[in-house]
């Protein structure tokens, strides 16, 4: 339907799910048994057939400048009465909560006569997909990290307009082995800027490994997977709160768009506010359990039953009896992982006896650390020449068994020779074993990082992070002969044992 300035990606979304489209003129020439719409805006009155307005977003939380007389988006009387005052504008106005009927009645009494509380169909898919949380996190590559999602609505008061640098600042502050970032941006921002321009504006954070969720379904999968949410006044936060009671932090700084007394207003008034990116951990700890769930209950009624209620109402409008068995609800799709993975890190390493606390952050976003660790052959030559630690991961099996391949020790010797500024070279073998050479030591070392147990699960550390711990430990003990040692690699609140010993001949000769 013509009329939306944010419709650039609408047809692509329809094609992705296999939907059929009609030219607007042809659509207006036909008659329909039902016309389903998620908004009263536009020229819906030109379509012939009983109209059903479905819930759009998590209630009426936000006003849009220039729309109505300060009314919430979706409650503009001009749109609700578009079909004239002699007939209700819709055969059914489905809403998600009883309070929304009262809001509707205050601005459009005739429309409220056909309003029924059915709940929120979108929320049903999130609730039904909660069991996929672990597969979603596996698809994102989250591992044992905490997934911090940022939710930005659209418009001049949104997170991305007011503080577009926040994702990059968080990426510079949060240790990579402890946290993963994901951004859920409103579809209007995707449409307004386009994929290329949006990616360019977010380039530093995306290069640091931030996930940018696709706008049509993937945003919901990311919310299911997230451990904490940073939000502006957009109502995506209410969906997150309805799924699980996990921490929410606000970056809303006030403005004219948020409707006083709305569920989002109630949520933002009760959750911690993030004043500086550096205070994220403190803000997350300050979240009071139950706050988000309480706000979600004020936005969504009949949680878990909305689709059945909607199905009953729609079949009644068609004059048909519903089939005895409903089709299974289509679950959310698995999200895509980050488009880029950082391969160079500024590493903070604090050595205390045989324990080394390691915090790796993507290089170039913040201050230099104890050393620069770079994956050779995957990052720029400029960074490789500046690295104190160069590491190389084994090639995939087909590449490793064709042509010419380095041995682990051969590559480590080559790296130390070719890069005079490099102190340590590490080849990570397919088994996860690390083969290490440090400048000034006569022999090669092998190390293996052991997993740790946590609540019945096995948690594994990246061998490259353990390599930074061993590198820092050996430098701190440069005057001490080392035969066999056990070093603790501390990543956040987890400690991993790393066994360091002289490398065996067959290990030095293994192909990488």
């Amino acid at each position: 339907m013509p009329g939306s300035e944010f419709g650039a990606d609408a047809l692509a979304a329809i094609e992705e799910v296999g939907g059929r489209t009609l030219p607007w003129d042809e659509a207006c020439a036909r008659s329909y048994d039902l016309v389903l719409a998620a908004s009263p805006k536009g020229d819906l009155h030109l379509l012939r057939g009983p109209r059903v307005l479905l819930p759009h977003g998590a209630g009426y939380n936000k006003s849009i400048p220039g729309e109505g007389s300060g009314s919430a988006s979706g409650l503009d009387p001009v749109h609700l009465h578009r079909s004239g005052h002699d007939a209700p504008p819709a055969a059914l106005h489905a809403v998600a909560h009883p309070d929304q009927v009262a809001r509707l009645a205050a601005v459009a009494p005739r429309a409220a006569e056909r309003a029924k509380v059915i709940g929120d169909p979108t929320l049903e898919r999130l609730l039904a997909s909660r069991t996929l949380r672990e597969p979603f996190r596996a698809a994102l590559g989250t591992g044992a990290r905490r997934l911090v999602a940022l939710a930005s609505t659209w418009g001049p008061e949104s997170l991305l307009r007011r503080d577009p640098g926040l994702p990059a600042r968080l990426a510079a502050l949060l240790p990579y082995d402890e946290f993963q970032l994901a951004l859920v941006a409103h579809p209007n921002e995707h449409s307004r800027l386009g994929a290329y321009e949006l990616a360019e504006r977010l380039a530093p954070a995306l290069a640091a490994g931030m996930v940018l969720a696709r706008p049509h379904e993937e945003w919901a999968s990311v919310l299911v997977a997230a451990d904490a949410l940073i939000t502006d006044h957009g109502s995506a936060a209410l969906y997150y709160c309805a799924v699980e009671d996990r921490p929410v932090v606000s970056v809303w700084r006030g403005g004219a768009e948020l409707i006083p007394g709305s569920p989002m207003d109630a949520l933002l008034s009760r959750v911690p506010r993030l004043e500086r990116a550096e205070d994220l951990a403190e803000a997350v700890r300050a979240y009071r359990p139950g706050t988000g769930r309480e706000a979600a209950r004020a936005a969504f009624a009949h949680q878990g039953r909305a689709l059945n209620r909607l199905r009953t109402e729609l079949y009644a409008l068609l004059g048909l009896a519903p089939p005895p068995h409903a089709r299974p609800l289509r679950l959310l799709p698995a999200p895509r992982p980050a488009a880029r993975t950082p391969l160079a890190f500024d590493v903070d390493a604090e050595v205390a006896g045989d324990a080394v606390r390691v915090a790796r952050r993507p290089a170039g976003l913040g201050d230099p650390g104890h050393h620069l660790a770079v994956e050779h052959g995957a990052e720029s030559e400029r960074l490789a020449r500046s690295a104190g630690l160069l590491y190389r991961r084994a090639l995939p099996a087909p590449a490793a068994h064709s042509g010419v391949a380095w041995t682990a020790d051969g590559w480590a010797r080559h790296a130390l020779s070719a890069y005079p500024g490099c102190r340590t070279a590490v080849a990570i073998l397919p088994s996860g074993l690390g083969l290490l050479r440090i400048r000034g030591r006569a022999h090669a070392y092998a190390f293996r990082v052991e997993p740790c147990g946590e609540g019945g699960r096995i948690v594994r550390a990246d061998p490259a992070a353990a390599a930074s711990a061993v590198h820092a430990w050996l430098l701190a003990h440069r005057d001490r002969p080392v035969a066999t040692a056990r070093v603790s690699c501390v990543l956040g609140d987890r400690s991993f044992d790393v066994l360091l010993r002289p490398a065996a001949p067959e290990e030095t000769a293994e192909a990488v």
Side-chain angles (χ1 to χ4, degrees):
M1 182 177 69
S4 174
E5 60 181 307
F6 300 111
D9 298 326
L11 293 181
I14 294 171
E15 290 174 0
E16 187 174 336
V17 298
R20 182 184 175 195
T21 60
L22 293 175
W24 180 246
D25 290 344
E26 183 179 341
C28 291
R30 297 187 177 191
S31 295
Y32 304 94
D33 296 312
L34 275 181
V35 176
L36 306 180
S39 169
K41 301 175 187 179
D43 293 329
L44 286 174
H45 64 288
L46 299 178
L47 296 174
R48 296 200 296 268
R51 289 185 298 282
V52 174
L53 286 177
L54 302 174
H56 174 81
Y60 308 120
N61 298 286
K62 181 180 173 183
S63 65
I64 299 175
E67 182 177 296
S69 53
S71 62
S73 179
L75 289 180
D76 188 342
V78 172
H79 297 300
L80 292 169
H81 290 303
R82 189 65 181 268
S83 59
H85 294 282
D86 297 332
L92 170 64
H93 196 126
V95 296
H97 193 275
D99 289 350
Q100 296 169 17
V101 178
R103 298 280 302 280
L104 183 62
V107 296
R110 296 281 290 168
E113 293 174 2
R114 298 294 181 93
K116 291 191 177 181
V117 180
I118 61 117
D120 188 286
T122 299
L123 178 60
E124 298 301 287
R125 295 187 67 201
L126 277 88
L127 294 174
S129 301
R130 284 183 294 187
T131 57
L132 299 178
R133 173 174 163 81
E134 287 194 18
F136 287 172
R137 291 170 67 84
L140 290 167
T142 306
R145 295 180 291 176
R146 297 177 180 90
L147 176 57
V148 177
L150 297 94
S152 176
T153 187
W154 65 283
E157 297 179 6
S158 67
L159 184 159
L160 282 181
R161 300 280 194 97
R162 284 184 165 178
D163 195 359
L166 179 60
R169 294 201 305 279
L170 288 170
L173 289 166
L174 299 177
Y176 181 79
D177 296 293
E178 301 171 47
F179 295 93
Q180 182 182 36
L181 286 177
L183 174 65
V184 171
H186 194 283
N188 285 1
E189 282 299 291
H190 286 265
S191 181
R192 182 180 73 90
L193 295 174
Y196 175 81
E197 179 65 19
L198 183 58
E200 283 295 298
R201 295 190 181 198
L202 296 169
L206 294 176
M210 183 179 76
V211 173
L212 177 59
R214 290 177 292 184
H216 306 299
E217 294 181 307
E218 196 169 282
W219 66 273
S221 304
V222 168
L223 293 186
V224 170
D227 295 297
L229 181 72
I230 300 170
T231 185
D232 56 17
H233 60 306
S235 59
L238 290 170
Y239 289 104
Y240 170 84
C241 291
V243 173
E244 293 290 347
D245 187 19
R246 298 190 176 100
V248 182
V249 174
S250 167
V251 289
W252 169 243
R253 296 291 182 266
E257 293 182 353
L258 183 63
I259 302 294
S262 65
M264 269 307 299
D265 181 46
L267 176 67
L268 296 178
S269 69
R270 297 171 187 166
V271 300
R273 177 176 292 179
L274 183 65
E275 301 292 349
R276 304 183 311 148
E278 292 84 351
D279 300 330
L280 177 61
E282 180 182 347
V284 168
R285 284 194 298 269
Y287 172 80
R288 289 183 289 108
T291 303
R293 278 285 177 82
E294 183 179 348
R297 282 194 293 268
F300 307 114
H302 306 301
Q303 294 184 25
R305 305 190 303 276
L307 284 176
N308 285 336
R309 294 174 67 86
L310 179 61
R311 181 170 173 263
T312 299
E313 295 294 340
L314 294 183
Y315 273 97
L317 288 174
L318 291 168
L320 299 173
H325 302 291
R327 292 179 59 188
L329 179 63
R330 186 166 62 91
L331 300 180
L332 294 170
R336 293 180 303 177
R340 294 189 60 184
T341 300
L343 303 168
F345 296 93
D346 287 316
V347 184
D348 290 324
E350 299 177 7
V351 181
D354 287 337
V356 185
R357 179 171 291 277
V358 171
R360 299 192 300 167
R361 295 176 176 88
L365 291 179
D367 297 330
H370 174 274
H371 63 273
L372 175 65
V374 177
E375 182 170 346
H376 183 261
E379 260 296 354
S380 70
E381 183 69 5
R382 178 186 63 82
L383 283 172
R385 293 204 170 277
S386 301
L389 167 65
L390 279 173
Y391 63 94
R392 175 191 175 108
R393 299 186 191 272
L395 295 174
H401 292 93
S402 62
V404 178
W406 285 104
T407 65
D409 193 44
W411 178 82
R413 290 176 181 274
H414 163 74
L416 293 177
S417 173
Y419 297 91
C422 176
R423 299 293 300 272
T424 302
V426 175
I428 300 173
L429 304 177
S431 64
L433 186 76
L435 190 289
L436 177 148
R437 270 202 174 270
I438 186 166
R439 193 178 296 279
R441 299 253 179 171
H443 54 268
Y445 294 96
F447 68 88
R448 184 181 297 279
V449 55
E450 299 295 334
C452 68
E454 187 175 276
R457 299 184 180 189
I458 297 172
V459 180
R460 301 184 187 279
D462 183 352
S468 280
V470 172
H471 167 77
W473 188 86
L474 285 171
L475 289 180
H477 298 84
R478 59 172 58 88
D479 298 327
R480 166 181 158 186
V482 177
T484 298
R486 186 173 291 274
V487 178
S488 292
C489 173
V490 182
L491 302 173
D493 55 4
R494 297 185 177 97
S495 181
F496 298 88
D497 286 340
V498 183
L499 181 63
L500 177 69
R501 56 174 174 76
E506 61 271 18
E507 293 167 339
T508 65
E510 191 164 341
V512 288

